[in-house]
């Protein structure tokens, strides 16, 4: 009897070991890219954390080295995934409709009050296509995604307000946090939160906020940057085992992310309600007016379906507007700070920009988009900043919408595809001396901008290209050139230069908050 018991236990143990081995070595397809084993609950995600928990895109690069493969296959929790560390293959993924899906991540769901899939960044299917078409077409009418005199005038007004604040100091109570009245040092990136968001706000609600009323934009911007810093570019543990939020609400990041999204959404909802209170179906003043018209003409009256499919509903209006408002609130200001750190690190660059600006624009007015073609070096600086310090290092993940192939591998339907944008922007075969800050790489022998030399894709490409690319490029050009035209940059005493090691990678790459003095050139 004892012998039978021992044999049974040994057989059971052997079976468990066999099952554990099969689980760990399971591959989603017979010809799947090589990668780390699968662990319970989290899949291969812990290996990324172990390699570099602060910068997962760098951990992904390490995996490519370890497995000697440009494509790395692994599980992210229960989801099969492929990390692409190759320029040509990333471009292929971005252009092929086979990979136009988005993963269903809890980090995206927690943005909605009822944890439903809403907005644009993390949705797909017919609902996404219909809503995306309406949002882009309607916002285009109000100046988004195209060269718009109104939008450019709004940015110019914002820049005049910003320059006044930086040069003359705070004029309103909320500005005292932005610029120290005693020392003149500005808090970055917070000081830039209203610059771009106020432009999009006019498109959404029909009016931009005056300088005295912009405090709300800075408060929402704080929540927005907290979300960007609090997440990570692979969805966090929360996305793979959502129930962990009940056990560790703070440690899992859930409490912070949920709270900052609630605050931001509450502001968007209050703005929408204010617009609706004076709604006139014969006077479409702004995007929200147009969306409310669709809600009122529909059958649901804007009430949520309670499902992941969605139409013209108030919850989609809130998350959709947030998707267009959040990048101008904090992502573009974060990119500004990444570029400013490079300019401080390379003081010869802003001086060369200033000489070009003085020759072309002078000092009596701010640069405009009409000056852009005559400012090739300034434009090259912006492009080099976007390449070298890719704002979204791993892009926003795609999903294979059907069984397909990629680079000779079999990719099953539902596989998450992570495009390592930062990796390909530092790929030696594509960019010579890729780790150096060298704006001249985008200029020809005559010193003119050569767009064919810029192979970077910081905003993605294809149908999933960032809808705000043109807005961001235009805004960064106008802001950086205006700041260089009017100021030199001075760090606090005793700080020799930017400490790039303090940068963090969350949903986007960010600098820590830092103080910078904008010293007037006049």
């Amino acid at each position: 009897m004892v012998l039978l018991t021992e044999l049974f236990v040994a057989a059971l143990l052997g079976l468990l070991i066999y099952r554990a081995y099969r689980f760990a070595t399971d591959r989603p397809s017979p010809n799947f890219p090589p990668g780390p084993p699968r662990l319970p609950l989290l899949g291969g995600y812990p290996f990324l954390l172990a390699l570099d928990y602060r910068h997962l895109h760098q951990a992904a690069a390490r995996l490519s080295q370890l497995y000697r493969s440009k494509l790395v296959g692994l599980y992210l929790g229960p989801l099969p995934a492929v990390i692409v560390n190759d320029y040509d293959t990333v471009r292929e993924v971005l252009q092929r409709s086979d990979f136009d899906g988005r993963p269903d991540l809890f980090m995206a769901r927690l943005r909605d009050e009822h944890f439903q899939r809403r907005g644009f960044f993390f949705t797909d299917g017919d609902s996404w296509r219909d809503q995306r078409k309406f949002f882009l077409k309607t916002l285009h009418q109000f100046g988004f995604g195209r060269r718009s005199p109104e939008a450019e005038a709004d940015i110019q007004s914002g820049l005049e307000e910003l320059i006044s604040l930086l040069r003359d100091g705070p004029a309103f109570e909320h500005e005292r946090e932005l610029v120290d009245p005693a020392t003149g040092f500005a808090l970055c990136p917070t000081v830039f939160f209203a610059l771009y968001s106020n432009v999009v706000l006019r498109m959404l609600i029909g009016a931009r906020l005056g300088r005295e009323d912009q405090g709300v934009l800075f408060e929402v911007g704080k929540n927005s940057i907290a979300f960007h810093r609090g997440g990570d570019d692979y969805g966090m543990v929360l996305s793979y085992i959502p129930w962990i939020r009940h056990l560790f609400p703070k440690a899992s990041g859930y409490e912070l992310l949920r709270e900052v999204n609630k605050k931001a959404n509450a502001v968007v909802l209050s703005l929408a309600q204010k617009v609706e209170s004076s709604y006139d179906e014969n006077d479409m003043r702004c995007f929200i007016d147009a969306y409310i018209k669709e809600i009122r003409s529909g059958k649901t009256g804007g009430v949520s379906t309670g499902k992941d499919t969605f139409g013209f509903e108030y919850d989609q209006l809130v998350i959709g507007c947030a998707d267009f408002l959040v990048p101008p609130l904090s992502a573009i200001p974060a990119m500004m700070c990444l570029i400013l750190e490079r300019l401080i690190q390379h003081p010869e660059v802003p001086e060369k920009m200033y000489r070009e600006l003085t020759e072309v624009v002078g000092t009596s007015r701010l640069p405009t988009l009409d000056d852009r073609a005559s400012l090739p070096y300034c434009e090259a600086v912006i492009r080099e900043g976007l390449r070298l310090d890719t704002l979204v290092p791993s892009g926003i993940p795609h999903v294979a919408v059907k069984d397909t192939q990629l680079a000779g591998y079999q990719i099953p339907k539902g596989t998450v595809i992570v495009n390592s944008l930062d990796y390909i922007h530092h790929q030696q075969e594509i960019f010579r001396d890729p780790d150096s800050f060298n704006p001249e790489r985008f200029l020809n022998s005559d010193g003119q901008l050569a767009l064919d030399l810029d192979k970077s894709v910081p905003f993605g490409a294809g149908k999933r290209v960032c809808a705000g690319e043109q807005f961001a490029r235009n805004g960064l050009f106008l802001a950086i050139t205006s700041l260089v035209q009017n100021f030199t940059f001075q760090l606090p005493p005793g700080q020799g230069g930017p400490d790039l090691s303090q940068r963090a990678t969350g949903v986007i790459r960010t600098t820590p908050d830092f103080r910078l003095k904008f010293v007037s050139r006049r």
Side-chain angles (χ1 to χ4, degrees), residues 394-407:
S394 302
I396 297 178
H398 289 230
V399 163
V401 296
K402 65 179 183 179
D403 292 341
T404 186
Q405 290 194 347
L406 182 66

Side-chain angles (χ1 to χ4, degrees), residues 342 387-390 421-431 434-436 509:
R342 294 294 179 179
R387 178 201 70 85
L388 183 61
D389 298 313
T390 308
L421 301 185
D422 185 77
Y423 184 96
I424 67 171
H425 289 164
H426 291 77
Q427 201 167 328
Q428 186 76 42
E429 308 93 290
I430 308 300
F431 300 99
D435 297 330
S436 67
R509 188 199 309 263

Side-chain angles (χ1 to χ4, degrees), residues 3-193:
L3 180 60
L4 288 175
T5 301
E6 291 176 347
L7 287 173
F8 176 77
V9 171
L12 182 61
L13 183 60
L15 179 62
L16 290 174
I17 293 173
Y18 174 74
R19 294 291 296 174
Y21 172 79
R22 287 292 303 271
F23 180 87
T25 59
D26 174 60
R27 308 305 284 165
S29 71
N31 182 26
F32 202 68
R38 182 185 187 186
L39 300 179
L41 298 179
L42 295 178
Y45 183 70
F47 294 98
L48 290 167
L49 296 176
L51 287 170
D52 193 337
Y53 70 92
R54 293 186 67 241
H55 305 286
L56 295 186
H57 64 286
Q58 294 181 6
R62 290 281 305 281
L63 282 179
S64 267
Q65 294 173 348
L66 290 171
Y67 288 94
R68 299 181 181 180
S69 175
K70 293 179 178 179
L71 274 66
V72 176
L74 73 167
Y75 278 92
L76 295 175
L79 305 174
V82 173
I83 301 170
V84 183
N85 289 320
D86 176 66
Y87 180 84
D88 290 333
T89 312
V90 166
R91 290 300 301 253
E92 181 182 348
V93 169
L94 295 176
Q95 296 293 343
R96 285 176 56 185
S97 59
D98 292 359
F99 301 108
D100 277 347
R102 288 287 196 229
D104 183 0
L105 299 178
F106 184 75
M107 193 178 80
R109 285 182 175 273
L110 64 76
R111 303 183 311 150
D112 178 71
E113 181 182 0
H114 303 293
F115 301 99
Q116 296 164 356
R117 296 186 77 187
R118 294 292 184 268
F120 297 95
F121 291 163
F122 305 104
T123 55
D124 54 17
D126 292 338
S127 297
W128 166 74
R129 277 186 285 271
D130 293 344
Q131 288 287 303
R132 181 179 183 271
K133 181 179 179 180
F134 179 84
F135 264 75
L136 293 182
K137 180 180 178 180
T138 308
L139 282 170
H140 189 268
Q141 297 171 7
F142 293 101
F144 189 83
R146 62 179 174 86
R147 178 78 186 272
S148 163
E150 295 83 3
E152 187 172 352
D154 282 344
I155 292 181
Q156 292 285 341
S157 296
L159 284 167
E160 289 169 1
E161 294 170 347
L162 176 64
I163 290 169
S164 174
L165 171 61
L166 297 174
R167 181 177 288 152
D168 304 325
F172 303 96
E173 186 60 32
H174 70 269
E175 295 180 341
R176 297 176 69 84
E177 180 184 351
L178 310 177
V179 177
D180 189 317
T183 65
F185 279 90
L187 181 63
C188 300
T190 311
V191 73
F192 305 126
F193 285 170

Side-chain angles (χ1 to χ4, degrees), residues 259-279:
E259 185 62 26
V260 297
N261 275 283
K262 279 185 176 181
K263 289 180 179 178
N265 291 348
V267 172
V268 174
L269 180 59
S270 68
L271 292 171
Q273 290 171 336
K274 185 176 181 180
V275 170
E276 188 171 22
S277 67
S278 57
Y279 170 78

Side-chain angles (χ1 to χ4, degrees), residues 255-410:
E255 194 171 277
L256 171 66
L257 295 177
R258 184 68 169 167
E259 185 62 26
V260 297
N261 275 283
K262 279 185 176 181
K263 289 180 179 178
N265 291 348
V267 172
V268 174
L269 180 59
S270 68
L271 292 171
Q273 290 171 336
K274 185 176 181 180
V275 170
E276 188 171 22
S277 67
S278 57
Y279 170 78
D280 180 352
E281 65 178 8
N282 297 313
D283 181 17
M284 294 293 101
R285 303 160 297 177
C286 58
F287 172 82
I288 289 179
D289 271 344
Y291 200 93
I292 289 172
K293 184 176 182 179
E294 294 296 323
I295 286 177
R296 294 190 175 188
S297 64
K299 297 179 180 179
T300 66
V303 178
S304 174
T305 61
K307 303 176 182 178
D308 288 342
T309 55
F310 52 89
F312 288 91
E313 305 161 10
Y314 284 102
D315 52 0
Q316 170 62 12
L317 172 61
V318 170
I319 304 298
C321 286
D323 277 351
F324 278 89
L325 192 58
V326 163
L329 270 168
S330 57
I332 306 178
M335 189 69 239
M336 280 186 67
C337 289
L338 296 172
I339 294 175
L340 286 173
E341 282 198 333
R342 294 294 179 179
L343 298 186
I344 296 167
Q345 192 180 48
H346 301 272
E348 73 282 359
V349 173
E351 288 311 306
K352 188 172 181 179
M353 293 175 69
Y354 180 70
R355 289 194 295 271
E356 186 178 66
L357 284 161
T358 302
E359 292 173 5
V360 175
V361 180
T363 58
S364 61
R365 66 173 177 85
L366 296 178
T368 69
L369 294 179
D370 288 331
D371 300 314
R372 199 176 196 169
S374 302
L375 297 168
Y377 184 75
C378 290
E379 174 67 12
V381 169
I382 306 302
R383 289 177 175 271
E384 178 68 340
L386 289 167
R387 178 201 70 85
L388 183 61
D389 298 313
T390 308
L391 185 66
V392 190
S394 302
I396 297 178
H398 289 230
V399 163
V401 296
K402 65 179 183 179
D403 292 341
T404 186
Q405 290 194 347
L406 182 66
Y409 292 106
Q410 292 177 321

